[in-house]
């Protein structure tokens, strides 16, 4: 067996020294609850899902810090507070069919899967999609699946959805995604325009869509939703 290098040994020891369950509880008590997240189902999901399993191994030690964590391919794991508040407004229910756009490594899908009947995750990067599928299986999540596809298209094959979560900021919620919202459904996302990020709640009631800003959020733009630049003469 090859000897363990000093740097590898230090990382292993440091990882073993972290009490992730305590870090998870601290995240809920210091980041989730104080930011108006009161839904017991949302809180229970955050307490149950091991966030450290969804970040690169070198960043597992900061998995519960209140920042957006890079996961590769220009993508980020949403800050816990932002994800928690989005889910609070979405109000997931046990019978819901949910769509997550920008699944990344699968954390948002895993949290949603604790609260709804079924989750469909859309991921544009094949490597991240495979990683998300493996991560979900590794922690025993069997009611969430990941498909590879474009973020602007959503996943019409399984529409309509009771809950839609976009895990990353978009310049504007794609019209095609809004159309996949079921009657009584809730869509939550962060729209980033003119240098300002604002979380938005979209609802379909009586066949009509309504929208309102729910809070400010400095969330990284979801790669692949930037749109085409305008032609300049």
């Amino acid at each position: 067996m090859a000897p363990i290098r000093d740097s590898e040994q230090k990382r292993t020891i440091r990882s073993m020294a972290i009490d992730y369950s305590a870090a998870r509880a601290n995240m809920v008590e210091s980041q989730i609850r104080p930011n108006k997240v009161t839904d017991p189902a949302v809180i229970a999901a955050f307490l149950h899902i091991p966030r450290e399993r969804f970040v690169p191994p070198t960043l597992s030690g900061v998995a519960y810090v209140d920042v957006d964590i890079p996961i590769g391919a220009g993508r980020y794991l949403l800050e816990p507070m932002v994800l928690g508040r989005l889910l609070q407004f979405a109000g997931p229910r046990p019978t819901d069919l949910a769509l997550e756009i920008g699944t990344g490594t699968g954390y948002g899908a895993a949290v949603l899967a604790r609260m709804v009947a079924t989750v469909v995750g859309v991921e544009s990067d094949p490597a991240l999609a495979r990683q998300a599928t493996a991560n979900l299986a590794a922690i025993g999540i069997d009611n969430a699946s990941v498909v590879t596809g474009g973020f602007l298209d959503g996943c019409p094959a399984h529409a309509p959805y009771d809950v839609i979560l976009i895990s990353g900021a978009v310049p504007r919620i794609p019209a095609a995604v809004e159309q996949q919202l079921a009657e009584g459904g809730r869509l939550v996302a962060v729209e980033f325009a003119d240098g300002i990020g604002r979380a938005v709640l979209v609802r379909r009631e009586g066949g009509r869509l309504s929208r309102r800003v729910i809070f400010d959020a400095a969330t990284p733009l979801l790669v692949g939703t930037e749109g085409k630049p305008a032609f300049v003469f």
Side-chain angles (χ1 to χ4, degrees):
M1 179 181 294
I4 299 176
R5 297 187 181 93
D6 288 343
S7 60
E8 292 176 342
Q9 188 174 41
K10 288 177 181 177
R11 280 201 302 269
T12 301
I13 293 173
R14 188 161 55 242
S15 177
M16 291 174 62
I18 297 173
D19 183 344
Y20 287 113
S21 61
R24 201 171 304 129
N26 183 64
M27 174 190 70
V28 168
E29 296 304 322
S30 65
Q31 300 174 45
I32 307 299
R33 290 185 191 273
N35 282 288
K36 304 178 182 179
V37 179
T38 58
D39 187 329
V42 175
I43 291 171
F46 274 98
L47 284 171
H48 183 83
I49 300 300
R51 187 174 166 89
E52 72 276 7
R53 299 288 295 271
F54 295 87
V55 303
T58 55
L59 296 177
S60 60
V62 295
Y64 294 96
V65 177
D66 56 343
V67 296
D68 302 290
I69 298 178
I71 55 175
R75 303 285 296 287
Y76 293 82
L77 209 62
L78 280 183
E79 180 183 351
M81 180 273 287
V82 172
L83 178 58
R85 294 200 70 186
L86 288 174
L87 293 177
Q88 171 80 22
F89 280 99
R93 301 163 186 158
T95 56
D96 283 348
L97 169 61
L99 171 69
E100 185 197 19
I101 295 176
T103 297
T105 55
Y107 180 70
V111 173
L112 264 174
R114 290 284 300 178
M115 295 181 282
V116 303
T118 306
V119 180
V120 177
V122 176
E123 176 49 54
S124 64
D125 186 280
L128 285 177
R130 289 192 294 271
Q131 187 176 353
T133 298
N135 286 341
L136 292 168
I139 64 171
I141 298 290
D142 59 5
N143 63 329
S145 59
V146 181
V147 298
T148 303
F151 297 145
L152 300 179
D153 303 322
C155 186
H158 300 289
Y161 301 96
D162 303 296
V163 171
I164 299 178
L165 166 69
I166 301 181
S167 290
V170 293
R172 175 81 180 182
I173 298 171
V177 173
E178 289 183 330
Q179 293 307 312
Q180 293 170 34
L181 198 59
E183 177 65 25
R186 294 83 61 203
L187 185 160
V188 285
V190 175
E191 291 186 333
F192 186 84
D194 301 321
I196 301 174
R198 294 186 175 95
V200 176
L201 169 65
V202 177
R203 301 182 66 97
R204 183 182 294 279
E205 297 174 314
R208 296 187 176 184
L209 294 174
S210 64
R211 54 184 285 127
R212 68 184 177 99
V213 174
I214 48 181
F215 61 91
D216 293 339
T219 301
L221 198 64
L222 186 60
V223 175
T225 63
E226 303 89 338
K228 297 179 180 179
F231 181 78
V232 179
F233 289 96

